[in-house]
Amino acid sequence: DVKVTQSSRYLVKRTGEKVFLECVQDMDHENMFWYRQDPGLGLRLIYFSYDVKMKEKGDIPEGYSVSREKKERFSLILESASTNQTSMYLCASSTSVIQFFGPGTRLTVL
Amino acid sequence: KNEVEQSPQNLTAQEGEFITINCSYSVGISALHWLQQHPGGGIVSLFMLSSGKKKHGRLIATINIQEKHSSLHITASHPRDSAVYICAVRSSQHSGGSNYKLTFGKGTLLTVNP
């Protein structure tokens, strides 16, 4: 079974803190994605990566950066967390066909 | 206007009822996905369609490429089917790494009462 894991299920941070969200997949997928999910807005793509050290901006990259130093790991970084970044963050990895999602990290920024 | 529209937003049914959730999209696509998300849970892929119809147990997904429309049907619904159902499309207009991007609908919250 494909497994996508995220470093935390719940996270509480303060405004201005630097936040790291980690995602690891064990199926040697080239493509990895970071989404946020908000009520009434659905899933929105923040960044994605289609190879090690390669990244592309998604629909809402502002306030975020990413790092992919190894194929299995894709990190989302909030350089200076703000309250409007309180959300559910979902990581996914994919073959060319299907995306497999992690369990999500519910981030609260106070 | 969103590229992917789902209806209804919310749906409440009695156990045993036949359920239909609709998805319309406005771009050319190479594939359409139906996903399921249980409360507090992760997202799982139910179907990927590029034409016709697929069936898995009590779930049936259909797509009409000409009309840019897909439906997800649940027969003999059960309370355990209660979840958010999400439609997502992969555009045929992207290239390279962007080819794997999905555009999501906002989801349909289904509640099946016993």
Side-chain angles (χ1 to χ4, degrees), chain A residues 9 31 33 35 37 40-45 48 50 56-59 90 94-103, chain B residues 9 33 35 37 40-45 47-48 84 86 90 95-107:
Chain A
R9 289 302 302 270
N31 308 305
F33 306 81
Y35 299 95
Q37 186 180 31
L41 297 176
L43 279 153
R44 293 179 292 166
L45 180 65
F48 71 101
Y50 50 92
E56 279 197 29
K57 293 179 180 179
D59 301 317
L90 288 149
S94 86
T95 65
S96 59
V97 173
I98 301 285
Q99 288 197 15
F100 297 89
F101 287 83
Chain B
Q9 280 188 295
H33 298 251
L35 309 164
Q37 184 177 31
I43 295 173
V44 295
S45 180
F47 294 104
M48 192 203 68
V84 175
I86 302 169
R90 181 150 50 96
S95 62
S98 300
N99 189 41
Y100 306 118
K101 285 174 60 178
L102 295 177
T103 301
F104 296 84
K106 294 182 181 179

Side-chain angles (χ1 to χ4, degrees), chain A residues 13-17 19 36 38 44 63-64 78 80-89 107-110:
Chain A
K13 295 292 181 180
R14 297 213 172 268
T15 301
E17 280 192 76
V19 181
R36 63 178 283 177
D38 300 288
R44 293 179 292 166
Y64 303 94
L78 286 67
S80 177
S82 62
T83 54
N84 63 13
Q85 292 178 310
T86 291
S87 186
M88 170 70 87
Y89 290 87
L107 172 68
T108 302
V109 183
L110 301 175

Side-chain angles (χ1 to χ4, degrees), chain B residues 64-108:
Chain B
N64 185 318
I65 297 293
Q66 286 72 31
E67 294 185 5
K68 293 188 165 62
H69 181 268
S70 175
S71 293
L72 177 69
H73 305 286
I74 304 174
T75 61
S77 60
H78 190 276
R80 65 174 174 266
D81 297 325
S82 298
V84 175
Y85 292 84
I86 302 169
C87 172
V89 301
R90 181 150 50 96
S91 171
S92 58
Q93 295 164 5
H94 292 140
S95 62
S98 300
N99 189 41
Y100 306 118
K101 285 174 60 178
L102 295 177
T103 301
F104 296 84
K106 294 182 181 179
T108 295

